[in-house]
Amino acid sequence: MEQWGLVRFMGTISLLVLLFPGSCKAGIQSVRTIHPGFQGSQMTWINYDGLFLISNSSDFAFGFSTTDDVTRFLLNIVHLGSSKVIWSANRGSPVSNSDNFIFGEDGKVSLQKGGDVVWAADTGGKRVSAIEMLDSGNLVLLGNDTTVLWQSFSHPTNTLISNQDFVDGMKLVSDPNLNNLTHILEIKSGDMILYAGFQTPQPYWSVQKESRITVNRGGGNVDVASLRENSWRFYDGNKVFLSQFIFSDSVDANATWIAVLGSDGFITFYNLDENGSASQKKIPSDPCSRPEPCDAHFVCSGNNVCQCPSGLRTRSNCQTGIVSTCDGSHDSAELVSAGDGLTYFSLVFLPPSSKTNLEGCKSACQSNCSCLAFFFQNSSGNCFQFTNIGSFQNSDAGPSFMAYIKVLSGGGSGSNAGGDGGSKKSFPIVVIIVIATLIAICGLLYVAFRYHRRKKKMPESPLETSEEDNFLETLSGMPIRFSYLPLPPTSSPLGSRLYSSFFKSISGEGTSSGPSDCNSDAYLSSVQLSGPR
């Protein structure tokens, strides 16, 4: 019986293999090389976390990786020891777990999403005969004669790895930040420049202006950059070593480093051989010299301390109210001073828009609908106009400029370009509020004073009758009891008249049954007088 059950089980497995040969084959993780006729989705290699091709050393793998949204995936090259992604095919266009990577029999390599191609390797129309995942982390597509038709090292995303040459024409582009701003690194005009991806690019770091660069050979244009050992090295077009940026004190010729351009604008260095630990040195060195260490229009100082500039503090959320400079709101916009002692990250990298005086700089920006802000340096007459603006810097980071920014009129502002306008419009309102507050306070003080005086003049109320009084009043024949307060002294005229009238009333006029006026004092001595209660 047991043998018959085993035969049935093996028969079932064999039938599944015959019916679904492709799925079983696709589920196997390949080492180093794959060939045409290969395809599958993240679900196909789910038992390998979506990774279907690994290098000989098993340091790097190619396949599907999850995103922050666990239902979406990117086609990545991953360093397995540190889980660092060093290249991505479809960044910005994630796919589902059922979308396919296809290496067709026609030699074309692509990634599809719902039947549409979201990424394809540009091989110049040549047929790919094999795909290899190298131990260097480079993914290469080979032609029939084993020539390299395409390689990931020539198409970096936001990461460079040791021994990967970064040359003129390549770019590193960061993921967008929360304000949808990207940061870009490229080599051009003999320099390697890092800039903000505004509509008009704004540089904020370059090799030629980096004070931490160690120069090996003066002069020469930077045409190639490569990570070697513990430094980023720069070469001319003939691969002559010019200078280097040392980012780690630890020297290891075999260390594998990566440089990652992050959405925060920093270039950070990670050692993959040490589980991806980060170097302490970053580019740039000053966190405030990035495009948006704070929100736009805020001032960055110290260790990323963000404050609204004085000229915009009266406006809602420190914003100008202008969404687009040439959308029709230009006619209702005005220039206001952003505050004193400010500078901007891009000023040391850009040529001035013009040389003029302050009034000329104001007039040029005011008449240009695309000018959102300008900076003027009185000592040089340099005027810089910007169509986009990031974070301001405290002038401790460099020379101070006069900074002006466009805002919508009537939205509340600080001091404007002419020294009137917003501040003068708000002046009457402030005065009215202050006067009304003072009047209210004086009224409350007067009411409190009158109440205090009135209460002070009111006579004290007699205290409640004690139990002793109640008991004595129940006894017949007891003398009448008075408190001290209602009875004036007998020596006063009022007291004399009062007592005389009192005794007459209780004795009857002209009778002799009660005490007479002449012996009222004697009678009064027999009357118990109670003390104050």
Side-chain angles (χ1 to χ4, degrees), residues 285-530:
S285 59
D286 181 4
C288 287
S289 63
R290 295 171 293 142
E292 289 186 343
C294 307
D295 287 338
H297 315 140
F298 279 75
V299 180
C300 178
S301 59
N303 189 19
N304 261 30
V305 177
C306 301
Q307 292 179 322
C308 183
S310 59
L312 295 177
R313 286 176 187 167
T314 60
R315 304 189 66 86
S316 175
N317 297 324
C318 197
Q319 297 302 306
T320 64
I322 297 177
V323 178
S324 177
T325 51
C326 293
D327 63 353
S329 61
H330 174 72
D331 296 335
S332 60
E334 60 180 344
L335 282 167
V336 300
S337 172
D340 298 327
L342 300 179
T343 186
Y344 193 58
F345 65 84
S346 202
L347 295 177
V348 297
F349 299 96
L350 294 174
S353 305
S354 62
K355 279 186 174 289
T356 181
N357 56 28
L358 178 59
E359 291 304 319
C361 197
K362 288 179 183 177
S363 178
C365 184
Q366 188 70 67
S367 61
N368 181 5
C369 71
S370 63
C371 176
L372 180 62
F374 76 84
F375 294 83
F376 178 76
Q377 190 174 37
N378 194 48
S379 60
S380 63
N382 288 336
C383 176
F384 299 85
Q385 296 185 30
F386 292 93
T387 57
N388 298 94
I389 200 76
S391 302
F392 295 107
Q393 284 179 270
N394 193 292
S395 60
D396 293 342
S400 178
F401 289 78
M402 297 180 185
Y404 286 78
I405 189 167
K406 274 182 183 176
V407 300
L408 283 182
S409 302
S413 64
S415 301
N416 73 354
D420 52 10
S423 58
K424 287 188 176 181
K425 291 174 185 177
S426 62
F427 176 75
I429 299 176
V430 174
V431 172
I432 292 172
I433 293 174
V434 171
I435 293 176
T437 303
L438 290 175
I439 291 175
I441 293 174
C442 291
L444 291 173
L445 291 174
Y446 177 76
V447 171
F449 174 75
R450 294 283 298 175
Y451 175 79
H452 178 73
R453 288 192 60 185
R454 184 175 180 183
K455 184 176 180 182
K456 190 174 181 180
K457 290 182 178 181
M458 290 176 63
E460 285 188 299
S461 300
L463 299 178
E464 293 183 1
T465 306
S466 66
E467 293 183 3
E468 179 186 357
D469 295 338
N470 293 336
F471 172 75
L472 292 175
E473 287 176 0
T474 59
L475 301 178
S476 60
M478 291 299 295
I480 298 174
R481 296 166 58 83
F482 298 93
S483 65
Y484 288 126
L485 285 177
L487 295 178
T490 56
S491 58
S492 67
L494 176 61
S496 178
R497 290 195 299 272
L498 178 62
Y499 293 132
S500 176
S501 300
F502 169 74
F503 288 123
K504 287 180 180 181
S505 65
I506 62 175
S507 60
E509 186 67 31
T511 64
S512 57
S513 59
S516 62
D517 291 342
C518 61
N519 61 359
S520 61
D521 289 337
Y523 179 81
L524 188 60
S525 63
S526 66
V527 178
Q528 275 191 320
L529 297 178
S530 64

